[in-house]
């Protein structure tokens, strides 16, 4: 399970980086008064979802790769300055956009109904990729036990607020049906007659996406480094350059994979697959939290262990049943009532019937087991709003991970460990 989670975290970062790189091309084209496809090569012989080849996205990723392997401290300083500039541009977009607000644009507030809201919510998880990368910087943080939780909570609160204000501003500037999918804010300012503002917006978007790519490159390389240290992938990926102090091998490998995907794949394909991977990881983290709080090997008795397993199975099963019923188009309240009731009783049983085996020393998730159990239910439910082909792609990737794990890595890892224990 840990290896599947690790593989999907890496997939999440590769796909996220590829999507941002292709969006970089879109805003760059807008800045030069062109359509994004003007800068892409059309390979008519390929599938339409993979036929718009994006060399600019590849070039941007290559430049980011060079920056990421140069110096962690220099990268952090650049991100610090860039974040200040980015916040200033966000404030400008909100203020300038609201001066041209038309409240009538919100009259049809839910044009696609409840299902449209949840479908959008599933894809919205695209926005939360990268926060977990803060945890990979523990070795390079002065006081990780305090600074990392504060950084995570603070960054997520600020970013969520900014996203809500930006979304409201955009919808007030233009009717939802006229919003451009490639460069929405630049086109919106152009549509309301503020042509000069679109250049500021495009510049801010390019700078922001460059920062996102750089942070992603740093985070994903450190994920791969930690995995390589366990010998679950080749150990040479864990090597750190003596001069720069950065994991050069891991950075290059991850960004090459990102560049290949960014070159071929459309943004729609990337966003849906990324959403599945992200929601799956968030769900697994919540499960892992419950296991960590309620189970300690060698200390938890068999009865409490079996109770924990039963509760987790019921929580997962009821959550998947709710998602499947929603995906199948179920509208009757009875089906949801049964699955939610099972979830509620399973969580209550875990709360009352199983003692916690471990308590956090410094920072800890509150309201255990209710909060992580709710996270499992919500993330699983949102998975029910994503299209079927994306699940097929996700299944293929997971199957490849399992093939590598059982027939390649696992046997060699066990052999190496046995040899090490024998003193060889």
């Amino acid at each position: 399970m840990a290896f599947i989670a690790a593989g999907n975290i890496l997939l999440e970062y590769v796909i996220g980086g590829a999507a941002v790189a292709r969006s970089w091309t879109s805003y760059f084209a807008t800045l030069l008064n062109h359509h994004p496809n003007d800068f892409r090569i059309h390979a008519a012989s390929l599938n339409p979802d993979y036929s718009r080849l994006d060399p600019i996205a590849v070039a941007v990723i290559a430049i980011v790769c060079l920056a990421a392997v140069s110096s962690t401290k220099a990268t952090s300083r650049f991100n610090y300055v860039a974040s200040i500039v980015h916040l200033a541009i966000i404030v400008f977009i909100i203020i300038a956009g609201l001066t041209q607000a038309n409240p009538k644009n919100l009259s049809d507030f839910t044009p696609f109904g409840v299902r449209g809201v949840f479908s959008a919510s599933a894809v919205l998880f695209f926005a939360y990729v990268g926060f977990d990368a803060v945890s990979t910087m523990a070795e390079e943080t002065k006081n990780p036990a305090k600074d990392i939780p504060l950084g995570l909570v603070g960054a997520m609160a600020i970013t969520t607020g900014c996203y809500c204000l930006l979304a409201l501003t955009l919808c007030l500037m233009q009717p939802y049906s006229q919003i451009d999918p490639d460069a929405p804010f630049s086109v919106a300012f152009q549509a309301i007659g503020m042509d000069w503002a679109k250049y500021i917006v495009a510049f801010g978007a390019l700078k922001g996406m460059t920062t996102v790519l750089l942070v992603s490159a740093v985070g994903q390389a450190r994920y791969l480094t930690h995995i390589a240290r366990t010998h679950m992938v080749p150990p040479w990926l864990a090597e750190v350059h003596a001069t720069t102090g950065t994991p050069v091998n891991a950075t290059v490998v991850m960004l090459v994979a990102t560049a290949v995907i960014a070159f071929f794949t459309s943004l729609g394909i990337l966003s849906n697959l990324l959403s599945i991977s992200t929601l799956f990881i968030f769900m697994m983290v919540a499960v892992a939290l419950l296991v960590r709080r309620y189970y300690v090997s060698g200390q938890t008795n068999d009865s409490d262990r079996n109770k924990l397993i039963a509760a987790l199975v019921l929580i997962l099963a009821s959550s998947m049943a709710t998602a499947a019923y929603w995906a199948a188009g179920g509208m009757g309240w009875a089906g949801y009532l049964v699955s939610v009731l099972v979830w509620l009783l399973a969580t209550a049983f875990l709360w009352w019937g199983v003692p916690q085996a471990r308590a956090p020393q410094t920072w800890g998730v509150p309201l255990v087991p209710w909060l992580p159990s709710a996270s499992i239910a919500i993330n699983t439910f949102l998975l029910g709003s994503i299209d079927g082909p994306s699940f097929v792609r996700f299944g293929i990737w997971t199957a490849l991970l399992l093939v590598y794990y059982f027939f390649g890595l696992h046997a060699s890892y066990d052999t190496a460990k046995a040899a090490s224990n024998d003193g060889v």
Side-chain angles (χ1 to χ4, degrees):
M1 293 303 293
F3 187 75
I4 292 173
N8 279 288
I9 287 174
L10 296 179
L11 176 67
E12 173 186 89
Y13 274 90
V14 168
I15 294 174
V20 172
R22 288 187 72 92
S23 296
W24 200 101
T25 303
S26 297
Y27 269 95
F28 180 69
T30 302
L31 191 63
L32 300 181
N33 294 314
H34 279 268
H35 188 275
N37 286 337
D38 293 344
F39 293 90
R40 293 179 178 134
I41 302 168
H42 185 210
S45 59
L46 298 178
N47 183 292
D49 290 328
Y50 305 93
S51 63
R52 297 288 180 178
L53 310 184
D54 198 332
I56 292 179
V58 175
V60 171
I61 292 172
I63 294 171
V64 166
C65 181
L66 292 175
V69 301
S70 61
S71 170
T72 300
K73 185 175 290 186
T75 300
S76 298
R77 287 173 178 170
F78 170 79
N79 287 336
Y80 181 77
V81 174
S83 296
I84 295 174
V85 175
H86 196 51
L87 282 173
I89 294 175
I90 287 174
V91 171
F92 165 78
I93 292 173
I94 293 171
I95 294 175
L98 290 178
T99 62
Q100 303 294 323
N102 182 1
K104 291 182 179 179
N105 291 338
L106 297 181
S107 59
D108 190 8
F109 195 70
T110 55
F112 301 104
V114 176
R115 288 191 175 273
V117 172
F118 283 106
S119 295
S121 299
V123 180
L124 182 63
F125 271 79
F126 194 117
Y128 288 90
V129 172
F131 285 108
D132 51 336
V134 176
S135 63
T136 68
M137 304 299 291
E139 294 182 7
E140 297 155 274
T141 305
K142 292 181 180 179
N143 187 5
K146 178 182 178 181
D147 294 342
I148 286 181
L150 285 176
L152 277 169
V153 174
M156 291 189 72
I158 293 171
T159 303
T160 300
C162 288
Y163 266 113
C164 292
L165 287 172
L166 287 168
L168 177 63
T169 301
L170 181 62
C171 292
L172 286 169
M173 290 171 66
Q174 271 193 310
Y176 76 92
S177 58
Q178 298 177 21
I179 293 174
D180 185 81
D182 292 311
F185 283 100
S186 292
V187 174
F189 275 106
Q190 186 176 15
I192 61 176
M194 298 177 64
D195 285 3
W196 58 272
K198 79 173 186 179
Y199 297 106
I200 298 176
V201 173
F203 169 76
L206 291 176
K207 186 225 59 72
M209 286 185 283
T210 303
T211 305
V212 168
L213 286 170
L214 191 53
V215 172
S216 177
V218 172
Q220 67 189 14
R222 279 151 183 76
Y223 266 126
L224 188 56
T225 299
H226 291 316
I227 296 169
R229 286 174 179 171
T230 67
H231 292 254
M232 300 299 255
V233 293
W236 66 271
L237 290 169
E239 295 177 5
V240 176
H241 195 274
T243 303
T244 64
T246 57
V248 175
N249 296 341
T251 303
V252 171
V253 167
M254 290 298 293
L255 289 179
V256 166
T258 303
V260 170
I261 293 177
F263 187 59
F264 287 98
T265 316
S266 70
L267 188 58
I269 297 290
L270 293 172
S271 61
N272 282 331
L273 186 54
L274 177 61
S275 295
I276 290 180
S277 181
T278 306
L279 289 166
F280 178 75
I281 291 299
F282 284 7
M283 181 272 292
M284 287 194 69
V285 168
V287 173
L289 172 63
L290 290 175
V291 172
R292 181 168 176 80
R293 285 287 186 93
Y294 284 91
Y295 179 79
V296 175
S297 180
Q299 297 183 25
T300 304
N301 60 50
D302 292 346
S303 176
D304 288 338
R305 181 201 61 198
N306 293 337
K307 290 178 183 178
L308 172 62
I309 293 173
L312 287 176
V313 168
L314 288 174
I315 289 170
L316 287 168
S318 60
S319 300
M320 288 188 288
T322 305
Y325 187 58
W326 174 264
M331 297 301 293
W333 59 268
Y336 297 113
L337 179 62
V338 172
S339 59
V340 171
L341 184 61
V342 171
W343 171 85
L344 184 64
L345 292 175
T347 307
F349 172 75
L350 187 58
W351 183 38
W352 286 101
V354 185
Q356 292 193 27
R358 181 187 283 115
Q361 295 180 354
T362 306
W363 291 81
V365 174
L367 301 176
V368 174
W370 295 102
L371 193 58
S373 181
S375 178
I376 293 170
I378 293 169
N379 290 317
T380 305
F381 178 74
L382 289 176
L383 283 169
S385 298
I386 299 176
D387 65 299
S390 295
F391 276 98
V392 173
R393 298 182 188 102
F394 179 75
I396 291 172
W397 168 248
T398 304
L400 291 174
L401 286 175
L402 291 174
V403 169
Y404 174 70
Y405 182 81
F406 285 112
F407 298 102
L409 171 142
H410 203 49
S412 60
Y413 176 73
D414 287 345
T415 301
K417 190 162 186 175
S420 176
N421 291 337
D422 291 339
V424 177

